Amino acid sequence: MKKIALFASGSGTNVENIVDYFEKKEIKNQYLILVNNPHAKVIEKAEKRNIPVYIFDRSMMNNSELENKLAQFAPDLIVLAGFLWKFPENLVKKYTNQIVNIHPALLPKYGGKGMYGHFVHEAVVENGETETGITIHFVNENYDEGAIIFQESTAVLSHFTPEDVAKSVQALEYRYYPVVIEKLLTKK
């Protein structure tokens, strides 16, 4: 049994997809969901599944409280799944190559501070890109600059709106993020 710490800020669709993936494969993992938004829908989803939730704020993230909580849980992998804050440098150093993130574009394009969700999809459409995709990468001290683990692309057709791009990218996220997480866990 592996321990997965899942960080989220919002609806938790990627969290839910990851947990569902492992349940369907009958792989038993222990989860801890860490949330920086006390109103996030992921909390309800976790409670329905009896997955423990730890809610924290920025002050807890920048002192030892969050670090202590992670140390108590002792995760095999830390997974950012719709988590919108920059990860603290002390934790990046402590968990080198144990923190993964998924980005809704083919990095290095459309990465960096402020480039998440619909902002990425809008930029892709505005710039007339013919393809976009996902990048799964290790987290380092800079936004979206960690070593790339996996990328997959999808076409952006000329009539696509940012919402169309979001649907295509989300389908890739759901298909590949759990698979890559499983591969990383089996290497441990």
Side-chain angles (χ1 to χ4, degrees), residues 147-160:
I148 293 172
I149 301 164
F150 176 85
Q151 288 186 309
E152 184 64 37
S153 63
T154 185
V156 178
L157 303 179
S158 60
H159 66 277
F160 271 20

Side-chain angles (χ1 to χ4, degrees), residues 102-121:
I102 190 164
H103 186 76
L106 297 171
L107 292 174
K109 285 186 169 185
Y110 306 106
K113 187 173 183 174
M115 291 305 288
Y116 60 90
H118 70 93
F119 297 112
V120 173
H121 308 313

